[in-house]
Amino acid sequence: GTNAVYTVTVKGAGCLGTPSPTPTPTACTAAAINPAEPYSLVFKGCDANNVAEYYDKTECVRQNSTGLIWQGQTAAGTGLRGSDQFKTNYDSTVALQRWNGEAYVAPTQPEIDASTNSMGFKNAVNATSLCGSSAWRLPTKDELLGIVKGGEARPRIDMNWFLNTPVIGKYWSSSPSPYPEYAYNAFNVNFDDGNAYLSSRGNYGGGVDGILVRLVLNSL
């Protein structure tokens, strides 16, 4: 019938001179997309410390309303995706798209695959696995019009996200002329005024006449 009180001291592994167990790292996940924001960074992966990393805006950005991933652009003079890389827009070896000085003729496959043409540019970007993908494509006219920012000073695009866009920034689309007899024309979107125009697919040059390419992905 006698009660005894005992005091017990529990010593952890650290107190006994042995290392503490390594903590389980927190799961690395991309930040939630805020639908109120027009664009967001694209998740790249996790670094050595299990912290989320994102692609730079000059590589790619996500359009939150559509889920499309847009190719970023680098400054003029920086190569493949530079803002001075103007292209022609041939995409068929059958349609009469190229003016040879006397008549419109069908481009050859080497002319389509050339680095100075939109398809050759697309192939070159896909070969780099930009933002981890090799499925980049030319956007449609309506997709390009979907990133026009009305009321914005020239260029009419969100420059917080689409860095290095020229003031007179024209970009080729995959949308052909609606008139079969004018197969040598295709639509481009001019971010100087935010409108779409038909231009000769052979339009190639700099300044106000040059037309660039900004590729797109359906998703990542």
Side-chain angles (χ1 to χ4, degrees):
T2 302
N3 293 327
V5 179
Y6 297 92
T7 301
V8 178
T9 301
V10 179
K11 294 184 177 181
C15 299
L16 298 175
T18 57
S20 301
T22 303
T24 303
T26 304
C28 172
T29 57
I33 295 173
N34 182 356
E37 295 293 330
Y39 301 99
S40 59
L41 296 175
V42 177
F43 180 62
K44 184 176 184 178
C46 306
D47 67 12
N49 296 316
N50 216 31
V51 176
E53 293 185 310
Y54 298 86
Y55 289 105
D56 191 79
K57 293 176 184 177
T58 59
E59 296 175 285
C60 55
V61 298
R62 173 183 284 103
Q63 184 179 15
N64 293 338
S65 61
T66 63
L68 293 174
I69 309 296
W70 288 93
Q71 170 225 311
Q73 194 161 47
T74 57
T78 57
L80 180 61
R81 292 182 291 106
S83 60
D84 56 354
Q85 296 296 303
F86 305 109
K87 310 296 178 185
T88 53
N89 194 21
Y90 306 132
D91 64 2
S92 171
T93 58
V94 177
L96 306 181
Q97 296 181 340
R98 184 178 70 82
W99 178 254
N100 69 359
E102 297 180 355
Y104 282 102
V105 297
T108 64
Q109 192 62 51
E111 287 171 330
I112 292 174
D113 293 336
S115 61
T116 54
N117 187 58
S118 57
M119 295 295 103
F121 173 78
K122 180 200 70 167
N123 294 340
V125 170
N126 279 327
T128 70
S129 295
L130 179 66
C131 293
S133 178
S134 57
W136 294 93
R137 61 176 176 82
L138 255 68
T140 66
K141 167 177 64 72
D142 290 339
E143 285 171 336
L144 276 172
L145 288 171
I147 59 174
V148 169
K149 187 175 182 182
E152 187 79 353
R154 303 160 63 206
R156 286 172 169 78
I157 195 170
D158 193 331
M159 289 293 284
N160 290 322
W161 290 93
F162 293 96
L163 308 181
N164 301 306
T165 301
V167 171
I168 303 177
K170 300 177 183 178
Y171 290 84
W172 281 119
S173 80
S174 61
S175 301
S177 167
Y179 311 106
E181 63 271 28
Y182 299 120
Y184 50 83
N185 283 339
F187 279 102
N188 70 85
V189 171
N190 188 344
F191 287 87
D192 177 32
D193 59 14
N195 294 315
Y197 298 93
L198 282 170
S199 294
S200 170
R201 290 177 180 270
N203 193 356
Y204 178 65
V208 297
D209 296 323
I211 304 181
L212 299 158
V213 178
R214 189 188 297 280
L215 302 174
V216 73
L217 280 173
N218 290 343
S219 63
L220 272 177

